[in-house]
Amino acid sequence: MELSHLRELTLIDLANMDGERIGIALKQALMRVADDIHDRPGEKKARTVALNISLSPEVDDDGQCENVKMQCQIKDSIPTRKTRVYDLGVRRRNGRTQLVFSDAAPDNHRQPGLPMDHNEAQ
């Protein structure tokens, strides 16, 4: 039985299906990746957007397939955000082990603090 309202599925149709839900999801993923590129232009690792289309055949009692279930998955990936490396010390105080750092020099916990101005100390 030929149904005249049916047409071949294309990538353009896929983006417009179901109230453009798939196209909107792709656009949102692209925007997240673009925002990250704008925010961190020095990060040289690639950002990715992937569209996975799963197609599952439904076979009738005669072994024929006339129906296919489709599901789309849109996934974006940006490089992990990392801070610089901080230098911490380990000390025991009051029976507990603590990690310690220097506010004045986060890259060297051993560096002595700056002498305080006499007016600031009061």
Side-chain angles (χ1 to χ4, degrees), residues 1-8:
M1 170 164 80
E2 189 68 26
L3 301 174
S4 61
H5 66 280
L6 297 178
R7 62 178 202 240
E8 183 179 3

Side-chain angles (χ1 to χ4, degrees), residues 28-43:
Q28 290 171 342
L30 288 168
M31 287 179 1
R32 281 190 295 273
V33 167
D35 284 344
D36 185 70
I37 289 169
H38 182 264
D39 185 41
R40 302 186 299 157
E43 175 59 70

Side-chain angles (χ1 to χ4, degrees), residues 51-67:
L51 168 63
N52 290 320
I53 304 169
S54 298
L55 302 165
S56 301
E58 291 187 336
V59 180
D60 64 18
D61 294 338
D62 296 328
Q64 300 298 311
C65 177
E66 291 188 16
N67 296 313

